[in-house]
Amino acid sequence: MGHDGHGARRVVEGGVCDGGSGVPDNPRGWLIRVASRRLTDALRSDRARRLREERAAALTPRDAFTAPPPGPDRAPSEDDTLTLLFLCCHPELSQPAQIALTLRAVGGLTTAEIARAHLVPEATMAQRISRAKQRVKGTRFGRPDHWEERLPAVLHTLYLIFNEGYTATSGPSLQRAELAGEAIRLARTVHRLLPGDCEVAGLLALMLLTDARRAARTGAGGELIPLDEQDRGLWDKAAIEEGVALVTWALSRRSPGPYQLRAAIAAVHDEADSPDSTDWPEILGLYDVLVHLVPSPVERLNRAVAVGMVHGPAAGLAELDALAPELTTGHRLDSVRAHFLERAGDPEAARAAYESAAAKTLSLPEQRYLRARAARLGDIT
């Protein structure tokens, strides 16, 4: 355009702007017009992309959309989940970090659930997971060399994943069957990789023997049914037979480890025809060996239950008193204490312990069960 005394004027993307300032005469209209044209271009581009994808999908065989299911005809190296499992258990990570990262990435647990499983604050666990992610960032995805060295962390991780699936730490359901099933599937895969490893066999046996009771652990409304009240006819006999065979083979190698011992304890429970026929002295003997290998507060709490069942509630309560300074979180200490107090004939103290346990668990079925026990004792007193 020509130059006059009012300054140069030019057309910019459908709007007229002043050549001196670069500002359109109608800024709002100009912006709307530019935005409208760019939106139209974006919609056209998106439609073209979708048409390309639809044409490609129409030419793709239907079976190509579904990954092959895990099974005996599928090599373990094809299992991306197991590859991720070993990747998360990177040797540069500490074992707590390996376990936390795997539970988050493979197991799908929340940070809060992982923190409760480890008896640490949620903030601490969040930092641990974040550091672990940064540490393995950029690591090549694939089956690592010498992956057998990562086995202890892998087994511990699968054990915790199974435990969370068998008894969820929070939420409306007592069990998360899909999580327990995934842990069993992965344990089977590891067992195929290392068929001669006794601890791998022990872990798989432990999962099978424990999960065998799943159908009897809840009622029609999802309510918790304790072990001594379960209908043992609902237990999975095939899983029990497989688990007993696995742990029997493993223990015959005369190199007992923690998972084999836990599986042996589960087998004693599963093979008893009734609660009264449970061989508690044998269970206590197995716990004596287990706590020598794994002297953790959780294992010692489980042993305290066996002590109370063999030597009476007063002996069990004495064991709990010794454990109290180490078990300051969670509800199980109060729950076991309530059970022993009830057996010892102290309903008022038992009711208080049940109520305390109910206040500490985030599992709704456990809360309802514990409060029901407390209410029943309240009626008695």
Side-chain angles (χ1 to χ4, degrees):
M1 290 191 136
H3 182 277
D4 59 23
H6 298 286
R9 296 172 63 82
R10 55 192 174 87
V11 177
V12 181
E13 291 192 356
V16 181
C17 71
D18 180 78
S21 65
V23 179
D25 291 341
N26 183 1
R28 179 179 297 177
W30 176 77
L31 287 172
I32 292 173
R33 182 173 299 178
V34 171
S36 175
R37 290 180 177 178
R38 290 182 178 175
L39 176 61
T40 299
D41 290 342
L43 292 173
R44 286 174 179 168
S45 176
D46 184 64
R47 182 172 182 275
R49 176 186 57 78
R50 284 189 286 106
L51 288 174
R52 289 194 301 270
E53 291 174 349
E54 290 170 0
R55 283 195 295 268
L59 297 173
T60 303
R62 184 175 298 273
D63 292 344
F65 291 108
T66 305
D73 58 338
R74 184 181 179 194
S77 60
E78 296 174 27
D79 191 336
D80 291 340
T81 303
L82 188 62
T83 297
L84 180 59
L85 181 63
F86 280 100
L87 176 64
C88 290
C89 295
H90 196 282
E92 291 186 7
L93 297 175
S94 65
Q95 189 174 80
Q98 292 173 342
I99 293 168
L101 181 59
T102 306
L103 287 172
R104 190 74 184 93
V106 182
L109 275 68
T110 66
T111 302
E113 290 169 336
I114 301 170
R116 284 192 292 273
H118 284 78
L119 303 178
V120 299
E122 185 176 349
T124 300
M125 186 55 64
Q127 293 175 356
R128 185 179 298 173
I129 293 172
S130 178
R131 288 194 297 266
K133 287 180 179 179
Q134 292 300 317
R135 195 69 179 269
V136 300
K137 187 177 181 179
T139 302
R140 179 180 62 85
F141 186 81
R143 187 63 54 82
D145 297 329
H146 309 295
W147 52 264
E148 296 93 336
E149 298 173 2
R150 305 186 189 183
L151 190 61
V154 169
L155 296 185
H156 192 185
T157 297
L158 293 179
Y159 179 53
L160 289 177
I161 293 174
F162 175 80
N163 286 344
E164 179 61 29
Y166 188 69
T167 303
T169 55
S170 63
S173 300
L174 179 67
Q175 307 174 95
R176 298 169 64 181
E178 75 289 348
L179 199 56
E182 178 67 5
I184 292 174
R185 185 185 74 82
L186 290 172
R188 285 192 184 280
T189 304
V190 178
H191 182 53
R192 286 198 300 270
L193 289 170
L194 292 174
D197 190 286
C198 295
E199 277 293 81
V200 173
L203 176 61
L204 179 56
L206 172 62
M207 291 181 179
L208 291 170
L209 291 164
T210 306
D211 193 62
R213 310 176 205 134
R214 174 161 45 90
R217 294 182 68 227
T218 54
E223 66 275 13
L224 184 154
I225 301 176
L227 181 62
D228 59 354
E229 297 177 15
Q230 290 176 13
D231 179 358
R232 301 187 177 215
L234 297 176
W235 290 1
D236 188 337
K237 297 297 189 291
I240 293 173
E241 290 178 4
E242 183 182 2
V244 168
L246 280 167
V247 70
T248 300
W249 171 85
L251 290 173
S252 70
R253 301 293 175 139
R254 299 186 181 279
S255 180
Y259 295 115
Q260 298 169 64
L261 293 167
R262 294 180 183 117
I265 292 168
V268 175
H269 282 295
D270 286 5
E271 291 185 313
D273 293 330
S274 67
D276 292 338
S277 63
T278 302
D279 192 342
W280 280 104
E282 182 178 355
I283 291 175
L284 179 56
L286 289 167
Y287 270 123
D288 286 339
V289 180
L290 179 58
V291 298
H292 179 73
L293 296 176
V294 186
S296 70
V298 172
E299 299 297 357
R300 288 159 57 204
L301 176 60
N302 292 333
R303 179 184 174 276
V305 174
V307 169
M309 296 303 294
V310 173
H311 299 297
L317 288 168
E319 294 285 334
L320 298 182
D321 289 339
L323 276 170
E326 299 177 67
L327 282 172
T328 57
T329 60
H331 71 287
R332 285 202 62 220
L333 181 69
D334 284 340
S335 177
V336 175
R337 188 188 300 279
H339 174 69
F340 284 151
L341 287 169
E342 185 176 355
R343 287 186 58 209
D346 191 347
E348 187 172 347
R351 182 184 60 180
Y354 278 128
E355 290 174 345
S356 176
K360 293 178 180 178
T361 180
L362 298 178
S363 167
L364 296 182
E366 288 182 333
Q367 285 180 9
R368 288 192 289 265
Y369 169 77
L370 294 166
R371 285 171 179 157
R373 301 284 292 195
R376 187 190 66 180
L377 292 174
D379 294 337
I380 295 175
T381 56

